[in-house]
Amino acid sequence: MRKYFEKILNEDENIFFEKVKQMLQEEKKMFIITANPETLMIAEKDEEFKNIVLSDETTVVADGIGIIKGAKMLSYPLENRVLGVDLVCKLLEYCNEYEKSVYLFGAKEEVIQKMKQVINSKYKKAKVVGAVNGYVENKEEVFENIKKENPDIVLVALGIPNQEKIIAKYYLDFKKGIFVGVGGSFDVISGVKKRAPEFFIKRNLEWLYRITTEPKRLKRFYESNVKFISKIKKERRKKA
Ligand code: UDP
């Protein structure tokens, strides 16, 4: 796990957002991965994904509290979190402020339609140049279209690791753009799924809210978070 902790950015959220804003204004490109324990556990089993996470092309930030806890257990000075949902909201804010374009790819059709409505009412000056649900058969074709549109921001909600893999496949073809794999963020921002109440967010307990409201996530939680912590403990013992 150490290789990941060395790669993950430990930057205050606001400083990070400023950096992203600058990249957007200067029409540079950036590929952001908001990592949680599941990201690292999948990377350990999937070589292609691992290479993406560890590549120089990607900027990895800590989303899940499990990442911070795991880093602490191995004495890595990692304390700053950047939540995926917050990053997406910030990007939409910038998109509105600077009249930039955004392409939405992923999630269910109902969700993507609601996302468009949210953007049209809350981020009026953001230009949505594409909004395609994540269940279309030919996902490559969607990316060909993204290439044609050449948007300033590309948000891909296909779940880990598929969202990162498809971005990585096409990333080198782009000259500009902020690319982010956003997981379930569209579900939350569209209002289709509730975000954890402030009480849970403040106490770093969003994970608890998610597994109690969606019990089918329990197995996934065990596979990623519980196994993640025991893996970390093993590595800590090895070092000692
Ligand atoms: N999704 C998709 N196509 C697929 C599989 C998933 O568009 O083939 C979407 C799904 O609808 C959801 C997102 O990918 O909006 C991933 O959600 P999940 O809750 O798994 O993400 P997390 O935030 O837990 O990473």
Side-chain angles (χ1 to χ4, degrees), residues 36 38 106-108 133-135 139 157-160 163 182-187 193 210 217 220:
N36 50 49
E38 192 176 19
K108 294 190 185 134
N133 77 64
Y135 296 88
K139 299 194 170 63
L158 297 175
I160 317 164
Q163 55 194 21
V182 300
S185 298
F186 291 171
D187 300 325
K193 264 191 202 169
R210 282 190 103 177
R217 283 187 173 269
R220 218 172 118 181

Side-chain angles (χ1 to χ4, degrees), residues 34-69:
T34 60
N36 50 49
E38 192 176 19
T39 314
L40 309 191
M41 292 304 278
I42 295 176
E44 279 300 276
K45 288 192 199 135
D46 180 334
E47 192 73 16
E48 180 191 346
F49 183 51
K50 176 160 115 188
N51 291 336
I52 296 170
V53 175
L54 296 176
S55 146
D56 288 342
E57 298 284 357
T58 56
T59 302
V60 185
V61 290
D63 179 339
I65 183 66
I67 296 280
I68 305 290
K69 290 218 162 105

Side-chain angles (χ1 to χ4, degrees), residues 155-174:
L155 306 176
V156 184
L158 297 175
I160 317 164
N162 293 340
Q163 55 194 21
E164 284 81 13
K165 283 187 180 175
I166 197 157
I167 294 175
K169 184 166 174 193
Y170 290 94
Y171 187 64
L172 294 178
D173 297 343
F174 289 88

Side-chain angles (χ1 to χ4, degrees), residues 107-124:
K108 294 190 185 134
E109 184 58 26
E110 175 206 357
V111 172
I112 210 97
Q113 288 307 328
K114 290 215 170 113
M115 271 305 286
K116 277 207 291 194
Q117 287 169 11
V118 169
I119 294 174
N120 288 337
S121 65
K122 214 168 150 191
Y123 308 98
K124 284 193 174 63

